[in-house]
């Protein structure tokens, strides 16, 4: 079996924190040439400063990357801005980063993959499978990630492109994203953390790397995962 990690050029968005930071560490330790994208600077791999809300910034980053074997669309923002109470700024940011940038980075990466095809792994969420009582707009962005993953797979196959498209849908993961998601509801976060025993970023990174390692004729669809303490 060919090594699908060692020496491969793997682009990771959202590299500066949480799941992205765990991915950078694990992929680098397994010999990948990792290119991390984020606004905040990082060490431990090549880094390009990118604002995923900005088209020119994304274009410039992928021009600089030049060629790659895989893209992990991991960056994401979660505000619990409800539909009923509004919040255009929060909705715009979530839509731009979680959906528009994921689609645009995929478009840009497909043009940089080798002729035999590359690999894209999109980080969705359990909120892409069911709508939680708060955070419904965030859930809509993650439902969209599943739709875009499937659309891209169909479009690529229609063009005879063998690039594989997969997604991972974690439940709660212990990262700084939750501090923003639970802003103003800190007591609920403490209680959720106590009762649920969150996944770690490393556990999610492991699953993403397992997908990258599947044989070339296997295309994983969506991997949903949550800690055993998380019921819904
Ligand atoms: N934590 C959870 O419970 C959970 C559960 C299910 C799914 N997820 C998903 O997992 C993914 C990773 O989340 P995480 O929990 O690891 O969150 P995190 O620790 O908050 O990291 C988010 C990353 O996204 C990047 N990012 C945000 N806005 C950006 C922008 N405008 N331009 C460039 N980069 C931007 C951040 O980088 P900069 O700020 O440096 O730009 C950061 O590296 C997200 O897609 C999230 O929806 C998380």
């Amino acid at each position: 079996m060919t090594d699908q990690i060692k020496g491969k050029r793997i682009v990771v968005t959202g590299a500066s924190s949480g799941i992205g930071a765990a991915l950078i560490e694990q992929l680098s330790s397994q010999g990948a040439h990792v290119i991390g994208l984020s606004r905040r600077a990082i060490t431990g791999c090549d880094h390009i400063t990118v604002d995923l809300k900005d088209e020119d910034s994304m274009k410039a980053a992928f021009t600089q990357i030049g060629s790659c074997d895989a893209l992990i669309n991991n960056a994401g923002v979660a505000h619990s801005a409800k539909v009923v109470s509004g919040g255009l700024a929060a909705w715009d940011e979530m839509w731009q980063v979680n959906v528009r940038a994921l689609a645009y980075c995929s478009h840009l990466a497909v043009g940089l993959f080798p002729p035999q095809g590359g690999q894209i792994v999109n980080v969705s969420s359990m909120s892409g499978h069911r709508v939680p009582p708060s955070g419904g707009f965030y859930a809509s962005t993650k439902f969209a990630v599943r739709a875009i993953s499937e659309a891209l797979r169909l479009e690529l196959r229609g063009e005879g492109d063998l690039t594989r498209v997969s997604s991972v849908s974690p439940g709660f993961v212990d990262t700084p994203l939750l501090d923003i998601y639970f802003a103003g509801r800190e007591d609920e976060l403490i209680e959720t953390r106590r009762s649920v025993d969150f996944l770690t970023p490393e556990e999610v990174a492991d699953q993403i790397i397992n997908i990258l390692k599947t044989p070339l004729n296997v295309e994983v669809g969506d991997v949903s995962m949550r800690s055993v303490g998380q019921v819904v």
Side-chain angles (χ1 to χ4, degrees), residues 13-21 37-41 47 50-54 73-78 93 97-98 123-127 138 142 168-178 180 201 204:
T13 72
S16 59
S17 176
I19 296 167
L37 310 184
S38 56
R39 290 167 300 182
R40 283 170 288 173
H47 177 256
V50 177
D51 184 351
L52 292 172
K53 299 195 292 299
D54 184 81
N73 276 310
N74 161 71
V77 183
E93 187 186 16
V97 176
N98 300 2
V123 180
S124 181
S125 169
M126 285 307 294
S127 290
Y138 172 71
K142 293 303 187 177
V168 175
S169 296
F172 288 118
V173 191
D174 204 353
T175 75
L177 174 137
L178 293 178
I180 296 169
V204 181

Side-chain angles (χ1 to χ4, degrees), residues 196-197 199 226-231:
V196 162
D197 184 21
L199 295 170
R226 53 191 155 206
S227 69
V228 287
Q230 184 175 349
V231 179

Side-chain angles (χ1 to χ4, degrees), residues 108-190:
L108 293 169
V110 164
L112 306 183
F113 286 151
Q116 69 273 22
Q119 206 169 3
I120 295 176
V121 183
N122 293 326
V123 180
S124 181
S125 169
M126 285 307 294
S127 290
H129 294 265
R130 45 78 180 130
V131 180
S134 53
F137 195 92
Y138 172 71
S140 81
T141 70
K142 293 303 187 177
F143 273 69
V145 169
R146 276 208 292 147
I148 287 172
S149 302
E150 181 62 1
L152 183 59
R153 190 184 71 77
L154 292 167
E155 289 169 10
L156 290 165
R157 272 333 153 269
E159 293 178 5
D161 186 321
L162 297 181
T163 292
R164 295 175 294 158
V165 184
S166 307
S167 58
V168 175
S169 296
F172 288 118
V173 191
D174 204 353
T175 75
L177 174 137
L178 293 178
D179 297 319
I180 296 169
Y181 187 69
F182 282 91
R185 300 181 292 140
E186 285 75 15
D187 289 350
E188 202 183 319
L189 176 57
I190 291 167

